Amino acid sequence: MKRRDITLYVNEEKYELNVPVNKTLLQVLREDLGLMDTKYGCGLGECGACSVLLDGDKAILACLALAATMNGKHITTVRGLERDGELHPVQQAFVETGAIQCGFCTPGMIIKGVSMLARNPHPDETEIKHGLEGNLCRCTGYVKIIKAIQRAGELLDSRSSG
Amino acid sequence: MSTLVLPDFELLLPQNIAEAVGYLSQYGKDVTVMAGGTDVLCQIKGGLRPPYILSLAEIPDLDYVIYDPSKGLRIGAMATMAQVVENSAVKASYPALWQSAAQNGTPQTRNTATVVGNILRASPAGDCSCAIMAHGATVVLAGPDGTREVDIDEFWLDYLVTARKPDELAVEVKVRPPKKTARSAFSALNRTRQDLSKVSAAVLLEMDGKTCTDCRVVMGAVAPFILRLRGTEPHLKGAAVTEEVIAKVAAFASQEIRPIDDIRSTAEYRRAVCGPLLARTIRAALKAA
Amino acid sequence: MRYKLVGNRVVKVDAREKALGSALYIDDIVLPGMLYGKILRSPYAHARIVHIDISKALKAPGVKAVVTAKDLPGKGGGLVGPFIKDEPIFAVDKVRYVGEPVAAVAATDLAAADAAASLIHVEYEELPALFDPVEAMREGAPLIHDNVKGYFAVFDARRGGNVCSHTTFFEGDVERGFQESHVIVEETLRTPMQYQAYIEPIGAIAQFDGAGRVTVWSNTQGIFVTQDRICESLKIPMSKIRVIAPKIGGGFGGKIETTVQPHCVALAQKTGGRPVKIVLPREEDISNTRPRHPAIMSWKMGLKKDGTILASQMSAIFDSGAYADDGPGVVAVGAITARGPYRIRNIRMDSYCVYTNKVKTGAMRGFGNTQTTYSRECMLDIAARAVGMDPLELRMKNAIEPGDKSVGGQTLHSVGFKESLTAASEGLGWNRPKETKYRGRGMAGINHISGLLTVGSVVRLNEDGTFTIQCGAMDIGQGSDTVLVQIVAEEMGVPMDDVRLASGDTDATPYTWATTANRITYTGGNSVLLAARDVKRQMRDLAAQMLDTENLETKDKKIFAKGNPDKALTYHDLGKVSVWVKGGPLIGKSNFMVEEPTLDPRCAIGHPFGTPFSAWIFGTQAAEVEVDPDTGEVRVLKLVAAHDVGQAINVDGVEGQIEGGVVQGLGYGLCEAVLFDKGRITNPNLTDYKIPPAADVPEITPIIIETHDQTGPFGAKGIGEAALMGAAPAVANAIFDAIGVRVTELPMTAEKVLKAIQEKRAREAKAS
């Protein structure tokens, strides 16, 4: 086939699309759905700027996924994390800790943060550094990003207990 | 084309194995099989122009990781490296495989990339492939006339060439059940911590006290395919594993490998570090309880 | 001094929108009818263009425009370049590097543009190519530019053959200095081509309106630079060009000079008003933009037995690639900063900018100083070992102090260098016993400027009592928007939310050169501070008029007669009446530039610095490493970076710049290099152009030293570029300390380190 009808759930909204088979999920998100928060940085899976969540908490790369093979899948992008104007704890932590400079890696970093904390709610610095593999930042040197993820863990703790 | 835009191709989306095999029989060498897709899409962005891409994404029940102490480990064609890493049986019984999967690629690619895909790619630098060979395994291929199994020792024939026939689909890898006395480990050197390996090693040692009764010594990125060091193994097999023996093994290994210069490293460097890396891997295997 | 906002950690003004994913970058802008552009590039490093046939491309599906040099006014349009105008935007008679633009296509989608570009047939006649600047300087080498002296230059560049420029700074008498020295050390050190590797690739959109005006959106660090280059290359009047910058995803110098903007405009001229977008895929960005100049630096230093450095001499060859771009500036900055933060009376620094048939090199964080700091700081350690002195002691002994002068005679009012030496070495534990045999420690001293040229700005009291700043300075992620808002908010005594910065539009924001040269906090900060003081004065005058007294006090957004706080005028009140009482909102303005001359022309030949430098900044970075003697791998365990920034405005911002700069410096030192095979780049992707991932980052300790420069806004100077310069030499020196080998060519890969270890072992075996 050269085109395919697919259903995609993105940020809890249902989209019915007809896509060329050679379009990546990243292209469909940006070009067909107008969702610009997921970025292109390298196209080959190194920078992680195109990271999105599959099924709520699994980070995958939108630039290395064919949209036509994603029929029925549930995707969350960074703009799907906010609730009624309130930042998700991971977003809030990035804002508070000075972990955002140019901001281009930020959506991917936040997605990675959500995914990491879903599996390991209290990661130490070494675990975060290894968990950040696949997300490159050129501005911050990662130091405050690591602090942000630790802070996010604290915020998520207080959110679930409070 | 570029890393922004993919070229044209026909997508084949079989709903079961028989359909997949049917497509392979029909289109043969014109088909590139895509499991997780991270590697195939990188190849396409790098210039590969397959007329057909056969995606396994919609074939159900291929994503299993099943361990049985007597039968071994069965990894389905769509089982991801993340699934392998999250599997406690793998971590306990197949340390080399677990370690290789834990560092192959990045967390995002591991959520999509498959172990079987890594084996079929036949890259001489494939981390999971290196560990799988150390453990010993067979690749299960489904073809028009039924399934057959090929021992991993006979699976990689040449650079990027496997024993799979164009009309066959790899559906599973069966990793041998480890003996209770087996020790294994995987390690690699790379340019930065987020990188393909520039040289890697995986060992499986069957131990009787301090003596190694049998072993499989495997290295990656030192030959046109994952290399089993059959010339080096006899120096370890039957020996008490002392630092002297490790040094001897290391020296033989550095002569047995056939490294080249490439973008990641040089033949000279690979030959120089082969011994130390292998020694490190043997020590790591023995250290783990 | 304790301030309410300045000197604190504040949340950046753009943090929330970036966390939400709603910040708009160039590729997020989609306009109705938009077309996509693709540049066709030369596959040869040096070749004559015999013939270009675009006929098939014109007929290809979806194509709306095809351009080559022939479509530009005159012979291939105007030549561009900041110092020397030698670069056409499309190759005219010949191509000078693999990747040079030869043609461009605009089509309805990117795939169609890609396909059409490949249908353009270009016939080339290959010419002998030069890839080594030393070869290019030889007598009789093939000429890359037929007549370098024929190009317009803004200074006397002393050029000829394949030499684009030659700058020399000298003070005292180096020959005499060497004669008086007890010990002389010499070495040649090499640095690679480093790529900025901003995570957001370069892009632009151009659209003409019905009146023949073009609007260009681009992630440029210099909207006014972009405006000028489009004007020069396409001969479009400045009044008909508007450049707007959206959010920028990192720059590090790579997004200043010409990359794709004029090509977008050239295409847009032919599309009947439809906008044309070019956003580079990563492989094109790495290969065809403006990476850092590789350099070969030959040093000679002479010192007394007691460690006093008497003479320092450097001859440096910088590889400019095919065009000048920022080259003349880079080599000059590299030369004038090469002496370093040390009292050395006799110096001679010669810097050559040389053409080769490789991608043109340009500005990258440090701008020549990164290269010379690396080599100089290695030399200082070599010198220290030669006289048996601790490298920290040698630096301390020769360190400059407040009141000393920079090369060229600029008085340095605030100098926190010695403090940074102490802070970095103590922070690292310089004299602690080492935990294992293969651990080592090393350090590097840093000096840099904090800007030059002008910044204009306007601060307006809005009718509702809030403030708007208009300033053309671009925030490329370093946080300048936040700093400028902080400065004005502090000065006006209001919360940051009451101040809005409008920037990045050549139609609407006053001129500033660009975000580069470490300059926005100092020159931009001074500018907005002066404009804020201007509007503050006017507010006071208006209040005095309305309250009928000069005896006023300001507090909490209110102005009142001293002792009479109940009869106060709020800023809002002043804003409300200003139109009818004063004729309009109160508007303060400034056009700031440093005035005190900073360079005695008698100590310089062939330099482009017609205007003064700002205050100088200083720092020390110290690293501890562990070397694996069997594999040559270097693990950086800890890095302490102490920087004299004058006064931190946003503490999180300064720390973030230090931390980010350190990691870029570690990449420069250990793993980054653009690799070539005869002019063709062999690692044009982030898979093989390795930048440090988080897992490789050591423990980094940023230390802020505040010397409160009297000329800076609230005493501030700068930090951005200096932060990158220390890591590579500190690590190089630490490796020597650990294992006694010095790799003199960056990056210090495991391959090179292991080879050096093996050679040392072989030498020692021979000797015994």
Side-chain angles (χ1 to χ4, degrees):
Chain A
M1 63 181 82
K2 285 269 171 114
R3 298 190 73 95
R4 195 180 186 211
D5 286 321
I6 59 167
T7 304
L8 268 183
Y9 298 88
V10 183
N11 300 332
E12 289 166 18
E13 266 195 60
K14 182 178 181 185
Y15 295 93
E16 267 155 20
L17 305 161
N18 178 270
V19 297
V21 298
N22 66 344
K23 250 191 165 168
T24 62
L25 176 62
L26 179 65
Q27 284 174 290
V28 167
L29 288 171
R30 291 178 62 82
E31 293 167 26
D32 295 77
L33 305 185
L35 300 171
M36 297 306 194
D37 52 325
T38 309
K39 309 294 186 194
Y40 164 90
C42 74
L44 293 175
E46 296 290 331
C47 73
C50 70
S51 302
V52 295
L53 294 168
L54 177 64
D55 297 333
D57 65 358
K58 251 193 287 184
I60 63 165
L61 299 173
C63 80
L64 292 182
L66 291 180
T69 66
M70 307 284 293
N71 185 33
K73 296 280 192 261
H74 290 257
I75 304 288
T76 311
T77 71
V78 79
R79 58 190 289 159
L81 295 174
E82 164 234 346
R83 286 278 172 279
D84 299 318
E86 270 216 35
L87 297 179
H88 184 283
V90 177
Q91 289 171 311
Q92 180 62 33
F94 269 72
V95 168
E96 276 175 21
T97 53
I100 303 173
Q101 290 192 30
C102 83
F104 201 74
C105 77
T106 303
M109 287 289 180
I110 288 174
I111 292 290
K112 176 56 76 72
V114 173
S115 159
M116 209 190 287
L117 293 165
R119 272 160 195 71
N120 181 0
H122 306 106
D124 64 29
E125 196 180 306
T126 307
E127 286 169 325
I128 297 177
K129 280 182 173 173
H130 286 286
L132 283 176
E133 213 183 303
N135 286 81
L136 294 175
C137 175
R138 194 55 161 165
C139 295
T140 67
Y142 306 98
V143 177
K144 294 193 190 318
I145 290 177
I146 292 164
K147 291 203 172 89
I149 292 177
Q150 285 171 321
R151 174 86 186 120
E154 290 164 18
L155 289 173
L156 280 164
D157 268 352
S158 57
R159 186 169 81 159
S160 57
S161 60
Chain B
M1 298 308 137
S2 66
T3 57
L4 273 173
V5 171
L6 299 178
D8 278 333
F9 51 80
E10 282 266 0
L11 183 66
L12 306 166
L13 265 169
Q15 301 295 300
N16 54 61
I17 294 174
E19 210 184 326
V21 172
Y23 281 131
L24 289 169
S25 305
Q26 189 178 354
Y27 299 114
K29 287 209 162 89
D30 281 347
V31 179
T32 294
V33 178
M34 174 188 283
T38 53
D39 191 66
V40 169
L41 286 175
C42 282
Q43 286 185 69
I44 290 175
K45 291 182 188 192
L48 184 73
R49 293 281 176 271
Y52 298 92
I53 292 184
L54 187 144
S55 164
L56 306 181
E58 298 194 356
I59 300 179
D61 307 323
L62 274 182
D63 59 346
Y64 52 87
V65 179
I66 300 169
Y67 176 62
D68 178 304
S70 58
K71 300 206 188 109
L73 184 67
R74 294 174 57 214
I75 303 175
M78 284 301 280
T80 64
M81 294 186 189
Q83 282 177 262
V84 166
V85 173
E86 280 157 22
N87 189 300
S88 49
V90 173
K91 189 171 183 183
S93 304
Y94 296 91
L97 174 60
W98 188 88
Q99 289 159 17
S100 72
Q103 68 172 264
N104 204 132
T106 68
Q108 289 98 315
T109 62
R110 292 196 279 276
N111 277 330
T112 308
T114 64
V115 174
V116 173
N118 193 265
I119 294 170
L120 270 290
R121 174 71 163 106
S123 163
D127 290 343
C128 281
S129 298
C130 185
I132 292 254
M133 191 177 220
H135 288 297
T138 59
V139 180
V140 181
L141 299 164
D145 304 319
T147 53
R148 67 183 181 113
E149 292 188 20
V150 179
D151 195 292
I152 196 78
D153 288 351
E154 269 107 60
F155 192 71
W156 294 303
L157 304 176
D158 204 341
Y159 179 61
L160 304 181
V161 177
T162 72
R164 178 187 81 93
K165 299 204 209 83
D167 61 357
E168 289 178 316
L169 177 71
V171 292
E172 179 182 300
V173 63
K174 281 184 168 138
V175 194
R176 290 207 199 113
K179 299 218 170 72
K180 278 207 173 63
T181 58
R183 304 272 176 269
S184 70
F186 169 86
S187 42
L189 298 179
N190 34 34
R191 294 167 293 184
T192 65
R193 294 270 187 94
Q194 178 176 321
D195 198 7
L196 293 150
S197 302
K198 57 164 101 157
V199 55
S200 57
V203 299
L204 177 76
L205 309 169
E206 275 154 34
M207 302 298 290
D208 177 11
K210 287 212 163 87
T211 303
C212 170
T213 55
D214 204 356
C215 64
R216 290 170 70 91
V217 175
V218 181
M219 292 196 77
V222 294
F225 35 75
I226 300 286
L227 185 70
R228 185 152 165 224
L229 277 68
R230 290 180 187 278
T232 301
E233 285 171 357
H235 296 280
L236 192 51
K237 182 171 174 169
V241 188
T242 60
E243 280 301 318
E244 253 185 276
V245 165
I246 291 178
K248 200 160 68 142
V249 166
F252 266 97
S254 63
Q255 294 311 304
E256 189 171 356
I257 60 171
R258 313 173 237 156
I260 56 170
D261 291 344
D262 65 14
I263 196 98
R264 290 187 282 285
S265 187
T266 62
E268 185 186 353
Y269 181 78
R270 287 168 162 131
R271 213 176 277 288
V273 299
C274 165
L277 180 68
L278 189 53
R280 195 182 287 189
T281 312
I282 292 170
R283 285 187 212 108
L286 295 174
K287 210 183 271 174
Chain C
M1 256 242 70
R2 303 251 47 218
Y3 300 106
K4 272 211 166 117
L5 295 166
V6 164
N8 293 295
R9 296 176 194 275
V10 303
V11 170
K12 288 174 70 179
V13 299
D14 51 0
R16 192 188 155 88
E17 62 179 312
K18 287 175 174 173
L20 282 168
S22 58
L24 286 184
Y25 300 82
I26 187 64
D27 199 26
D28 303 331
I29 299 175
V30 177
L31 300 174
M34 197 166 75
L35 301 167
Y36 296 81
K38 175 80 178 181
I39 296 174
L40 177 72
R41 301 177 180 276
S42 165
Y44 294 104
H46 199 197
R48 247 188 6 98
I49 297 175
V50 176
H51 181 63
I52 305 179
D53 179 357
I54 63 171
S55 56
K56 288 208 177 77
L58 278 170
K59 290 185 277 205
V63 170
K64 301 298 175 196
V66 180
V67 296
T68 65
K70 284 206 171 74
D71 296 294
L72 307 185
K75 196 172 185 251
L79 300 173
V80 298
F83 299 99
I84 294 175
K85 301 190 188 295
D86 65 351
E87 185 182 355
I89 61 158
F90 287 107
V92 182
D93 297 320
K94 63 174 189 171
V95 289
R96 296 182 172 90
Y97 67 99
V98 173
E100 179 161 7
V102 173
V105 175
T108 46
D109 61 74
L110 197 45
D114 275 4
S118 61
L119 292 175
I120 298 175
H121 179 73
V122 185
E123 204 185 314
Y124 296 97
E125 191 185 286
E126 257 192 288
L127 297 167
L130 292 161
F131 305 115
D132 179 346
V134 174
E135 289 302 311
M137 287 174 87
R138 285 203 211 290
E139 196 74 38
L143 290 179
I144 296 171
H145 291 264
D146 292 333
N147 178 20
V148 293
K149 290 199 174 111
Y151 295 130
F152 179 89
V154 305
F155 70 109
D156 175 12
R158 291 193 291 163
R159 46 208 165 135
N162 288 316
V163 173
C164 173
S165 75
H166 173 201
T167 303
T168 308
F169 293 102
F170 53 92
E171 285 183 338
D173 180 346
V174 275
E175 284 317 314
R176 176 127 152 246
F178 288 128
Q179 274 161 30
E180 291 170 5
S181 300
H182 298 137
V183 175
I184 291 180
V185 288
E186 292 184 71
E187 186 58 87
T188 297
L189 298 116
R190 292 174 159 78
T191 57
M193 184 179 288
Q194 184 182 27
Y195 166 57
Q196 293 86 351
Y198 29 72
I199 305 297
E200 181 214 17
I202 280 175
I205 303 172
Q207 181 173 32
F208 278 86
D209 66 16
R213 286 197 84 217
V214 64
T215 302
V216 177
W217 294 262
S218 186
N219 49 10
T220 166
Q221 296 176 232
I223 47 177
F224 296 95
V225 170
T226 302
Q227 188 189 26
D228 177 75
R229 305 306 181 244
I230 292 169
C231 162
E232 282 192 295
S233 56
L234 299 174
K235 308 279 193 233
I236 299 173
M238 292 282 273
S239 59
K240 291 209 179 275
I241 303 169
R242 177 184 184 190
V243 179
I244 299 172
K247 286 283 182 290
I248 299 173
F252 315 110
K255 291 176 176 168
I256 307 173
E257 289 295 332
T258 304
T259 47
V260 303
Q261 301 86 357
H263 311 79
C264 259
V265 175
L267 285 168
Q269 281 179 318
K270 295 183 149 199
T271 59
R274 290 180 75 167
V276 178
K277 175 193 265 191
I278 296 180
V279 172
L280 294 180
R282 179 61 63 178
E283 60 274 19
E284 238 183 287
D285 198 296
I286 297 185
S287 314
N288 306 299
T289 51
R290 313 165 43 251
R292 188 194 290 286
H293 291 67
I296 303 166
M297 295 155 285
S298 297
W299 281 86
K300 184 174 172 183
M301 270 188 191
L303 50 163
K304 285 171 40 184
K305 273 194 296 250
D306 70 356
T308 311
I309 303 172
L310 293 184
S312 180
Q313 179 176 288
M314 175 191 78
S315 177
I317 297 172
F318 286 78
D319 186 341
S320 192
Y323 293 100
D325 197 280
D326 277 314
V330 166
V331 313
V333 167
I336 202 172
T337 57
R339 182 200 76 185
Y342 306 103
R343 289 174 159 173
I344 307 173
R345 247 179 295 124
N346 306 301
I347 63 150
R348 186 184 170 94
M349 308 299 180
D350 267 292
S351 232
Y352 295 85
C353 184
V354 181
Y355 291 115
T356 61
N357 291 113
K358 302 205 291 290
V359 62
K360 63 173 177 163
T361 45
M364 184 176 173
R365 199 169 182 180
F367 208 77
N369 191 359
T370 305
Q371 294 91 321
T372 59
T373 294
Y374 156 71
S375 53
R376 172 194 68 247
E377 292 297 318
C378 287
M379 286 309 293
L380 284 172
D381 260 42
I382 292 170
R385 309 275 171 185
V387 294
M389 227 174 148
D390 180 325
L392 168 61
E393 251 189 272
L394 182 82
R395 288 175 172 86
M396 253 323 169
K397 188 178 177 69
N398 291 278
I400 55 168
E401 298 193 29
D404 283 357
K405 295 192 198 291
S406 71
V407 169
Q410 179 180 358
T411 302
L412 304 167
H413 300 290
S414 67
V415 179
F417 182 53
K418 277 189 164 167
E419 291 89 316
S420 75
L421 280 169
T422 303
S425 55
E426 281 178 5
L428 192 73
W430 189 252
N431 293 309
R432 254 187 317 118
K434 299 202 180 105
E435 281 165 49
T436 72
K437 191 169 149 196
Y438 299 108
R439 290 238 174 136
R441 299 191 188 115
M443 63 169 45
I446 297 161
N447 71 167
H448 198 53
I449 57 173
S450 46
L452 66 166
L453 306 190
T454 61
V455 178
S457 62
V458 161
V459 174
R460 164 184 155 164
L461 170 68
N462 299 317
E463 286 86 313
D464 66 352
T466 64
F467 297 90
T468 298
I469 311 169
Q470 284 163 283
C471 180
M474 302 316 309
D475 191 326
I476 54 175
Q478 88 287 31
S480 55
D481 279 4
T482 302
V483 161
L484 297 180
V485 165
Q486 238 177 312
I487 287 172
V488 171
E490 182 74 53
E491 183 65 19
M492 305 312 296
V494 302
M496 282 174 68
D497 278 344
D498 275 17
V499 180
R500 203 206 145 231
L501 172 71
S503 83
D505 184 341
T506 56
D507 265 9
T509 52
Y511 179 89
T512 182
W513 169 38
T515 292
T516 180
N518 215 112
R519 71 192 290 264
I520 300 302
T521 297
Y522 185 90
T523 57
N526 267 330
S527 181
V528 303
L529 184 57
L530 289 172
R533 287 183 179 152
D534 182 1
V535 78
K536 198 174 179 180
R537 219 173 5 249
Q538 294 177 54
M539 287 165 70
R540 270 208 131 208
D541 287 349
L542 177 56
Q545 186 188 317
M546 291 169 71
L547 295 171
D548 200 21
T549 171
E550 293 288 335
N551 206 359
L552 297 168
E553 203 178 311
T554 306
K555 193 174 171 182
D556 294 335
K557 306 205 266 190
K558 293 201 256 280
I559 305 185
F560 47 88
K562 272 211 174 82
N564 208 349
D566 298 320
K567 261 192 96 188
L569 291 167
T570 65
Y571 288 4
H572 193 174
D573 292 333
L574 294 172
K576 275 188 283 195
V577 307
S578 55
V579 173
W580 288 103
V581 171
K582 280 291 174 192
L586 301 180
I587 297 180
K589 55 195 193 297
S590 113
N591 194 40
F592 173 81
M593 191 176 83
V594 175
E595 288 188 358
E596 188 188 322
T598 57
L599 178 56
D600 181 343
R602 288 170 300 175
C603 74
I605 314 174
H607 76 92
F609 303 132
T611 59
F613 292 142
S614 59
W616 286 66
I617 51 179
F618 305 94
T620 301
Q621 295 192 356
E624 178 160 328
V625 307
E626 172 125 22
V627 182
D628 184 328
D630 296 322
T631 64
E633 286 174 300
V634 175
R635 215 162 44 104
V636 183
L637 303 167
K638 195 172 157 153
L639 196 142
V640 180
H643 285 271
D644 162 22
V645 303
Q647 162 76 53
I649 305 288
N650 177 4
V651 173
D652 272 348
V654 175
E655 287 179 352
Q657 282 291 287
I658 293 174
E659 291 152 0
V662 164
V663 174
Q664 282 190 351
L666 289 172
Y668 191 52
L670 295 170
C671 57
E672 292 183 44
V674 178
L675 302 170
F676 284 87
D677 174 22
K678 293 196 183 45
R680 189 184 54 88
I681 292 173
T682 58
N683 59 342
N685 50 59
L686 294 184
T687 311
D688 291 317
Y689 184 86
K690 310 299 297 179
I691 68 173
D696 278 331
V697 167
E699 180 192 325
I700 299 176
T701 306
I703 298 175
I704 295 174
I705 292 167
E706 291 176 324
T707 51
H708 307 289
D709 192 282
Q710 63 199 49
T711 65
F714 295 100
K717 295 189 283 187
I719 180 61
E721 294 188 60
L724 187 152
M725 298 177 194
V731 169
N733 291 334
I735 291 171
F736 185 85
D737 187 49
I739 206 152
V741 301
R742 185 166 289 283
V743 175
T744 55
E745 182 178 12
L746 296 183
M748 297 172 291
T749 59
E751 284 78 0
K752 285 183 190 152
V753 174
L754 185 63
K755 196 166 193 146
I757 292 171
Q758 289 169 335
E759 284 169 356
K760 177 170 182 265
R761 287 195 185 128
R763 277 196 307 271
E764 286 168 352
K766 232 191 205 166
S768 62

